[in-house]
Amino acid sequence: MTVAATFEIEYLQYLGADGKPVAELPAAFRDPKALLPLFKQMLFVRTFDAKAIALQRTGKLGTYASCLGHEATHVGIGASMQPDDVFAPSYREYGAQFMRGVLPREVLLYWGGDERGNDFSGPKQDYAWCVPISTQCLHAAGAALKFKLMKQKQLAVACCGDGGSSKSDFYAALNSAGAYQLPLILCVVNNGWAISVPRSAQTGAKTLAQKGLAGGLHCLQVDGNDLIAVLEGMRRASERARSGEGGSVIEFMTYRLHDHTTADDARRYRDESEVKDAWTREPIARLRAYLTAQGVWSEDEEKAWAEECGKKVDVEINAYLETPVQPVEAMFDYLYADPPPDLLAQRAFALAQEGR
């Protein structure tokens, strides 16, 4: 028998669920003090997430997509990018966006139904949130093609979920990245559920990382609850992309500890024992245990930082709540430079309903 091809998917993990090292740490991340700013950012993201859910529950925010449990993956991705790179998020990567300068008040504006929330304070080249899953992967591939043609050292990073990795947009992006050796990193945040569809029901692939092999990309699976593994996976992929070796698909194994959004009730389709088990592997407790064991973090420091996070988030919430509401016709201002006649007619009707 002749074998046409064989492959292996490397798996990265450095910290166990209890925070103890399970492998030799990469040289770049052996200083525990260097991880402290990122751990504090993870705690900030969790504080923001909890307060955003509370806002929605009290009628001060629209439907909101929680990022509970994704903190290590998102913060690690954001920390690994350069300011002039391009980021194409889906609708949940707040940790990565905060690392890139997006303000929490802008996140709240967006989920409050205000398109001004997409006008980020962070890098203006980053793409807006994308609710139709995986279409942002093609946008990132286009940016990466520009970098390739212009011989620039920037790279493009796109995030999608496990469900999104089954979309044609994802496959088209990875195929283009492989064919043209594009500096593109496709981050698949595998949280186990595509809304109510389990990962096992939406693909027969043993890993989601291996999907990149079909396009000729470098593929890696990472423990997404291990910040060090996330940083190392992104470091490897970034070095490959910037040196002209092409793109990567990284599958980050994490879990969605909250409902898909505040409009969802995951108890209808997800067993509570599964969620309870996932809490034993969650990213913040894991990194906290490691940093505490290394003597660089304490319970008192965490209490003080939690209080500061609460104050910082409250400032952002107040800024959001105090933002003047746009007039109703503003909903027509964000899609076309020159609106077509039927849209102008709708705008006129909306104004007439207001008596204007």
Side-chain angles (χ1 to χ4, degrees), residues 253-268:
M253 306 295 292
T254 182
Y255 195 81
R256 195 184 78 209
L257 292 170
H258 201 271
D259 299 329
H260 175 68
T261 69
T262 52
D264 174 45
D265 182 1
R267 293 173 298 179
R268 295 177 300 168

Side-chain angles (χ1 to χ4, degrees), residues 31-162:
D31 181 3
K33 291 183 179 179
L35 298 173
L36 281 176
L38 300 183
F39 177 65
K40 293 173 74 174
Q41 185 66 14
M42 289 166 60
L43 290 170
F44 176 82
V45 173
R46 183 161 291 187
T47 300
F48 169 82
D49 193 65
K51 285 180 175 284
I53 292 171
L55 276 177
Q56 191 278 332
R57 298 305 192 210
T58 55
K60 298 176 181 177
L61 195 66
T63 299
Y64 171 78
S66 170
C67 63
L68 184 64
H70 293 199
E71 295 89 355
T73 292
H74 292 173
V75 169
I77 290 172
S80 301
M81 297 180 66
Q82 298 296 324
D84 58 353
D85 292 335
V86 165
F87 186 46
S90 58
Y91 49 83
R92 203 187 298 271
E93 285 80 37
Y94 317 123
Q97 290 178 297
F98 292 164
M99 295 296 294
R100 292 185 59 72
V102 174
L103 297 177
R105 68 188 67 178
E106 293 165 345
V107 175
L108 297 174
L109 273 174
Y110 175 77
W111 290 111
D114 192 324
E115 284 291 338
R116 289 175 294 180
N118 264 321
D119 186 11
F120 304 139
S121 297
K124 294 299 183 182
Q125 74 272 17
D126 283 3
Y127 288 97
W129 282 294
C130 194
V131 175
I133 59 175
S134 285
T135 56
Q136 70 275 13
C137 297
L138 281 171
H139 302 157
L145 177 59
K146 183 260 187 183
F147 297 149
K148 173 84 172 184
L149 294 175
M150 301 296 291
K151 295 181 170 55
Q152 297 169 315
K153 291 296 184 182
Q154 293 104 303
L155 56 86
V157 177
C159 287
C160 72
D162 41 301

Side-chain angles (χ1 to χ4, degrees), residues 87-353:
F87 186 46
S90 58
Y91 49 83
R92 203 187 298 271
E93 285 80 37
Y94 317 123
Q97 290 178 297
F98 292 164
M99 295 296 294
R100 292 185 59 72
V102 174
L103 297 177
R105 68 188 67 178
E106 293 165 345
V107 175
L108 297 174
L109 273 174
Y110 175 77
W111 290 111
D114 192 324
E115 284 291 338
R116 289 175 294 180
N118 264 321
D119 186 11
F120 304 139
S121 297
K124 294 299 183 182
Q125 74 272 17
D126 283 3
Y127 288 97
W129 282 294
C130 194
V131 175
I133 59 175
S134 285
T135 56
Q136 70 275 13
C137 297
L138 281 171
H139 302 157
L145 177 59
K146 183 260 187 183
F147 297 149
K148 173 84 172 184
L149 294 175
M150 301 296 291
K151 295 181 170 55
Q152 297 169 315
K153 291 296 184 182
Q154 293 104 303
L155 56 86
V157 177
C159 287
C160 72
D162 41 301
S165 72
S166 292
K167 288 287 298 297
S168 59
D169 310 84
F170 175 80
Y171 285 105
L174 71 84
N175 190 67
S176 297
Y180 301 113
Q181 290 287 96
L182 302 182
L184 173 66
I185 303 177
L186 292 171
C187 300
V188 181
V189 183
N190 183 356
N191 63 27
W193 290 88
I195 306 183
S196 60
V197 180
R199 176 248 189 263
S200 60
Q202 57 92 13
T203 180
K206 189 171 183 179
T207 72
L208 303 185
Q210 73 193 58
K211 294 185 176 186
L213 293 170
L217 301 185
H218 173 66
C219 303
L220 190 64
Q221 190 182 72
V222 169
D223 184 338
N225 292 334
D226 176 356
L227 178 67
I228 297 175
V230 174
L231 293 169
E232 174 63 10
M234 287 295 295
R235 184 193 67 79
R236 294 185 189 184
S238 297
E239 286 188 357
R240 289 177 57 86
R242 296 188 200 282
S243 63
E245 296 180 55
S248 299
V249 172
I250 307 179
E251 178 185 6
F252 296 96
M253 306 295 292
T254 182
Y255 195 81
R256 195 184 78 209
L257 292 170
H258 201 271
D259 299 329
H260 175 68
T261 69
T262 52
D264 174 45
D265 182 1
R267 293 173 298 179
R268 295 177 300 168
Y269 55 80
R270 194 171 65 176
D271 195 282
E272 284 298 312
S273 63
E274 177 182 314
V275 182
K276 184 177 180 180
D277 179 67
W279 272 104
T280 68
R281 304 187 304 275
E282 67 102 348
I284 288 181
R286 181 182 308 202
L287 190 54
R288 177 193 295 121
Y290 172 71
L291 295 175
T292 300
Q294 296 297 311
V296 298
W297 190 248
S298 68
E299 185 176 346
D300 288 342
E301 287 174 303
E302 182 152 340
K303 286 181 179 179
W305 177 243
E307 183 176 351
E308 187 172 346
C309 285
K311 292 178 180 177
K312 288 176 179 289
V313 174
D314 285 345
V315 168
E316 296 297 313
I317 289 174
N318 289 334
Y320 156 66
L321 294 175
E322 293 167 4
T323 301
V325 177
Q326 294 190 100
V328 66
E329 65 267 25
M331 73 175 74
F332 300 98
D333 295 343
Y334 295 96
L335 189 58
Y336 296 99
D338 298 307
D342 59 336
L343 199 62
L344 290 174
Q346 291 180 38
R347 184 177 186 275
F349 177 79
L351 292 174
Q353 293 297 106

